[in-house]
Amino acid sequence: MLRLAKNPEVVKLALVLTVLFMFVLLLAVSITLFSGYQLQQTLSTSQAAFIGAVLEAYPDAERGLIQQVKEADQEAIQTGEAVLARYGFSTDHLLYGGEAVRQTTKLNGLLYACLTVVVFTAPVGLFFLFLSRQYRKIRSINNYLRRVAAGDYSLAIRDNAEGELSLLKNELYKITVMLKEQAESLNQDKIRLANFLADISHQLKTPLTSLIMLSDLLEDDPDEKVKKEFLTRIRSQLKRMEWLTTSLLKLSRLEAGTVSMKKDTFKIKDLVDRAVEALGIPLELKRQTVQLEGDEGAMMTGDFNWTLEALINILKNHIEHTPEQGLIRITYEENPIFTKISTADNGVGIDPQDLPYIFNRFFRGKNASEDSVGIGLAMAYEIIKQQGGDITVNSKPHEGTQFTITLYKQPIS
Amino acid sequence: MEILRVEQVSKVYGRGETQVNALDNVSFTVNKGEFVAIVGPSGSGKSTLLHILGGVDRPTSGTVLIEGTNIYALDETQLAIFRRRQIGLIYQFFNLIPILNVKENITLPLLLDNRQVDDKRLDELLETLGLSDRVHHLPNQLSGGQQQRVAIGRALINHPALVLADEPTGNLDSKNSKEIIDLLKMSNRLYHQTLIMITHDHNIALQADRIITIEDGRILKDEVIRS
């Protein structure tokens, strides 16, 4: 009942019905009073006429008659009835039953009929009015949805009122906003795809040009030593292209969201150890030290292999931008809300102007090495984002860079 | 997708000699899913701005559009309903209702709309907030961090268009602060929840996508940290 009362339409209807009820009640009371008065009038006139007629013939009877008017005694009533019976008047049509009473009855009948009509038709009419209003509102919601379906998201439907219909409008609007957002991101995706293709072609074109050149030179049949050197260069270019295409394939699968991330639960330490192990050679080459810090038993939930790939890419970045004999610190923690892995180096740092863009695909910062294509961090970012996680970077020039990966535990739906 | 548009908003308190221009022609837009930190010295107009965004305080001039609705064109009742459905507010001092328990405080925005509480979602939300075993506690039986988590739950239960937080960690120790910020960031990342937060803590601000610096009621800087 209270729920229903929140709807303004219902409240309005209840109000109108209450007013109507009061009106009908008032009408019924006045009709009753009026017809009682009418009857009283008829009786009095008739009685007065009767007393007048008797007193004209027998002036002495005045006292006795007034006595009977005040309070009729049983004996007198019986005598009177006997006399009336002799003239064929039964109690059914006494001498009061004349035209006057018939008139009163007719009036009463008419009034009560009117009352009945009011009592029945007004609520029914009101009900249909109410229905048609509600349907009109539903129709307007329908029109709104039709226009949204046609791609017109510019409409405002929320009326910020109380009641179920307003709530419905509110929820529909939320869905409209969602659709609008999706439509926009779809458009952005198209642009991104075009840029992506341009980037790829550009990245592949450089080694291809050099391959064509080298093969042209080989056609001239140079001596063995030069041939060998050219072949090494061809192989290294092909290796680079192979790496590029594999990475791009992975990245595009990630960005397209076609990779399904597993929900493994594993020790963070295992993940970190595997990542460091994979980078043993470059670490050794630059004689850098890796320091681990964290609870050995700390667990993480996510896709082991992909998260490993992300971590390796981030560590590669650290190795690349840290001078020889530098230090890379890896810390990790687990708590009820999330697990976090932080990696920090004491290297050259990232230029503050580059900072917002380092996770963008094909972005190369001012300190980027020659071989850098700008895929590693973009891939790490995609991997973590796909898992609903977060990856942040802090960097100060000449002091070092810190990356933080956060994976949240089971989220709210 | 643009979710908030602030156009030449000014707020003047008092008049004559005591006149204070709390906000002076502030304009900016926020996209859906953005996490914006607002920083600036005390008295710079940060809180006034946040209150105006939240429909709590009327600007002297200018317009605020949230999801295309000019919120100051609404009357008081409509604005109150709009606020309850589209905006989640989190304050420094929690502002929980002292006589309602944790569950009632969180579901208050739904109850005001006479909406059924989805028990499954509520349980998950309580779990995430770490309040599962505190459901029937009253605010004064909770620690500061827990109270703020209740306030976050209340702000998130309705999937609002906009979550506004006014120094949500200003009254908490560093451990609780971190937890609160991580919760807010999680809702921002996972549900694409738009979040605007006032903070004094530079480290917290650096975790946002974008930092707006306000001084003397004007936007001094508006920097994108990550795109």
Side-chain angles (χ1 to χ4, degrees):
Chain A
M1 195 61 206
L2 212 72
R3 268 182 91 82
L4 210 58
K6 263 274 186 176
N7 294 303
E9 306 90 359
V10 175
V11 174
K12 223 156 110 190
L13 184 70
L15 215 71
V16 172
L17 282 177
T18 313
V19 170
L20 191 72
F21 171 74
M22 297 300 270
F23 173 71
V24 170
L25 194 71
L26 210 72
L27 207 64
V29 169
S30 10
I31 286 174
T32 312
L33 287 178
F34 180 67
S35 65
Y37 171 76
Q38 280 280 316
L39 202 63
Q40 184 72 45
Q41 284 289 314
T42 317
L43 284 175
S44 314
T45 352
S46 161
Q47 202 170 36
F50 176 67
I51 290 172
V54 171
L55 283 188
E56 244 172 57
Y58 309 98
D60 300 342
E62 187 174 331
R63 235 182 140 166
L65 274 176
I66 296 301
Q67 193 68 42
Q68 292 307 316
V69 169
K70 272 186 185 162
E71 197 184 357
D73 85 48
Q74 208 54 41
E75 213 176 298
I77 291 172
Q78 274 169 12
T79 325
E81 277 180 351
V83 172
L84 285 169
R86 251 197 284 138
Y87 288 95
F89 287 117
S90 73
T91 19
D92 290 336
H93 28 52
L94 273 178
L95 59 168
Y96 303 136
E99 195 57 25
V101 171
R102 260 201 296 287
Q103 205 61 46
T104 309
T105 318
K106 223 158 110 188
L107 188 68
N108 273 353
L110 203 69
L111 285 173
Y112 281 114
C114 283
L115 203 60
T116 316
V117 168
V118 171
V119 166
F120 280 97
T121 51
V124 169
L126 269 174
F127 177 68
F128 278 111
L129 197 70
F130 174 76
L131 268 189
S132 81
R133 279 208 178 160
Q134 293 300 88
Y135 279 126
R136 200 183 313 147
K137 282 178 191 163
I138 291 172
R139 210 159 36 236
S140 84
I141 294 176
N142 256 332
N143 284 337
Y144 166 80
L145 285 178
R146 228 189 333 266
R147 285 165 73 177
V148 168
D152 182 0
Y153 301 119
S154 63
L155 301 154
I157 192 182
R158 284 175 304 186
D159 53 9
N160 302 300
E162 301 281 5
E164 295 288 341
L165 272 176
S166 173
L167 272 176
L168 177 67
K169 289 180 188 172
N170 194 55
E171 293 303 311
L172 285 175
Y173 192 80
K174 277 188 183 168
I175 291 175
T176 313
V177 169
M178 225 162 76
L179 285 172
K180 188 177 174 184
E181 198 188 0
Q182 278 172 359
E184 272 178 27
S185 89
L186 218 66
N187 249 336
Q188 278 171 0
D189 278 354
K190 264 190 211 158
I191 297 167
R192 213 178 300 151
L193 186 70
N195 288 339
F196 192 40
L197 286 173
D199 285 338
I200 294 169
S201 333
H202 183 75
Q203 290 293 341
L204 291 175
K205 223 176 156 180
T206 320
L208 267 178
T209 316
S210 124
L211 281 172
I212 291 168
M213 220 171 65
L214 286 166
S215 62
D216 280 352
L217 290 169
L218 276 176
E219 252 180 14
D220 297 344
D221 202 20
D223 60 57
E224 274 310 299
K225 209 181 141 204
V226 179
K227 248 188 208 166
K228 267 243 163 74
E229 197 207 317
F230 279 6
L231 278 174
T232 331
R233 278 167 67 181
I234 285 175
R235 180 160 302 131
S236 101
Q237 292 289 4
L238 283 172
K239 271 254 162 73
R240 184 174 149 80
M241 283 177 76
E242 190 199 9
W243 174 82
L244 202 66
T245 41
T246 338
S247 304
L248 283 173
L249 215 64
K250 275 186 197 167
L251 190 59
S252 65
R253 273 176 60 210
L254 278 168
E255 288 193 358
T258 53
V259 175
S260 62
M261 292 285 174
K262 278 189 239 151
K263 286 248 167 227
D264 310 319
T265 300
F266 48 86
K267 278 190 185 163
I268 305 178
K269 189 162 188 315
D270 291 346
L271 180 85
V272 175
D273 283 346
R274 279 280 294 280
V276 174
E277 202 182 291
L279 294 167
I281 296 168
L283 276 169
E284 207 171 302
L285 279 175
K286 289 189 94 172
R287 281 175 291 157
Q288 291 165 337
T289 327
V290 175
Q291 217 176 64
L292 298 187
E293 201 180 299
D295 180 7
E296 287 220 356
M299 305 296 280
M300 185 169 217
T301 305
D303 191 296
F304 186 88
N305 289 324
W306 279 109
T307 313
L308 181 67
E309 173 115 32
L311 189 58
I312 288 175
N313 279 325
I314 286 170
L315 289 174
K316 263 189 198 158
N317 196 275
H318 281 303
I319 294 169
E320 200 174 299
H321 294 104
T322 307
E324 288 198 5
Q325 292 184 317
L327 175 71
I328 296 169
R329 283 186 62 214
I330 306 175
T331 52
Y332 48 90
E333 63 164 295
E334 180 199 7
N335 65 32
I337 302 171
F338 55 81
T339 41
K340 196 177 246 179
I341 303 175
S342 288
T343 58
D345 65 41
N346 56 357
V348 289
I350 300 168
D351 191 291
Q353 285 187 330
D354 289 343
L355 219 47
Y357 311 104
I358 59 158
F359 294 117
N360 291 3
R361 192 187 336 108
F362 299 119
F363 177 78
R364 296 178 68 238
K366 292 188 181 59
N367 300 331
S369 69
E370 261 179 48
D371 288 343
S372 160
V373 218
I375 282 186
L377 288 181
M379 183 134 69
Y381 182 78
E382 276 304 322
I383 290 169
I384 301 304
K385 217 176 73 180
Q386 289 279 317
Q387 302 187 67
D390 207 10
I391 182 163
T392 55
V393 59
N394 269 317
S395 184
K396 281 200 181 121
H398 312 299
E399 280 182 38
T401 304
Q402 183 189 30
F403 285 96
T404 306
I405 297 175
T406 313
L407 283 186
Y408 297 101
K409 302 218 160 163
Q410 193 49 48
I412 346 157
S413 69
Chain B
M1 189 191 127
E2 184 181 297
I3 198 158
L4 171 72
R5 172 175 284 272
V6 177
E7 275 172 351
Q8 298 178 337
V9 163
S10 296
K11 177 78 186 177
V12 180
Y13 289 110
R15 60 171 65 153
E17 275 181 29
T18 54
Q19 178 172 319
V20 177
N21 294 315
L23 286 177
D24 191 2
N25 249 328
V26 171
S27 300
F28 63 95
T29 62
V30 173
N31 285 331
K32 184 156 166 42
E34 242 186 318
F35 172 13
V36 181
I38 299 180
V39 297
S42 297
S44 58
K46 305 184 299 279
S47 293
T48 306
L49 175 63
L50 203 77
H51 286 148
I52 286 175
L53 299 187
V56 186
D57 201 358
R58 274 179 191 274
T60 312
S61 65
T63 52
V64 175
L65 288 125
I66 297 176
E67 283 183 336
T69 303
N70 181 358
I71 60 170
Y72 292 106
L74 303 175
D75 66 32
E76 277 307 320
T77 322
Q78 288 176 321
L79 185 58
I81 294 170
F82 182 88
R83 238 184 351 241
R84 159 171 109 207
R85 290 182 190 158
Q86 326 293 349
I87 292 168
L89 262 169
I90 299 165
Y91 294 96
Q92 181 177 357
F93 295 106
F94 324 133
N95 286 3
L96 301 176
I97 312 279
I99 54 160
L100 298 182
N101 67 27
V102 168
K103 184 181 168 184
E104 290 162 342
N105 260 298
I106 290 180
T107 54
L108 194 63
L110 294 179
L111 298 178
L112 284 171
D113 257 337
N114 258 306
R115 281 208 272 182
Q116 219 117 43
V117 178
D118 179 352
D119 282 323
K120 194 167 157 272
R121 182 174 144 71
L122 180 66
D123 286 345
E124 279 167 351
L125 186 61
L126 285 166
E127 179 77 39
T128 310
L129 295 168
L131 293 167
S132 294
D133 50 351
R134 296 278 187 283
V135 181
H136 299 294
H137 284 55
L138 291 175
N140 63 14
Q141 297 168 312
L142 301 172
S143 73
Q146 286 168 337
Q147 288 188 50
Q148 193 60 298
R149 280 183 265 155
V150 176
I152 291 176
R154 181 179 59 186
L156 292 180
I157 190 95
N158 240 349
H159 292 300
L162 207 56
V163 169
L164 304 173
D166 191 352
E167 283 188 54
T169 61
N171 203 26
L172 302 174
D173 60 30
S174 61
K175 183 177 166 289
N176 273 309
S177 296
K178 234 175 98 214
E179 268 183 38
I180 293 299
I181 296 304
D182 283 318
L183 270 174
L184 287 172
K185 268 174 70 187
M186 183 179 81
S187 79
N188 167 252
R189 288 282 176 273
L190 288 175
Y191 314 125
H192 220 51
Q193 179 76 66
T194 315
L195 174 63
I196 301 180
M197 184 196 293
I198 290 181
T199 181
H200 270 133
D201 188 330
H202 208 65
N203 282 323
I204 292 175
L206 280 171
Q207 299 182 45
D209 300 326
R210 176 174 159 198
I211 302 180
I212 295 178
T213 312
I214 292 199
E215 217 172 284
D216 296 329
R218 293 163 190 266
I219 293 182
L220 197 67
K221 273 190 287 179
D222 187 345
E223 308 157 280
V224 174
I225 308 223
R226 73 195 95 231
S227 60

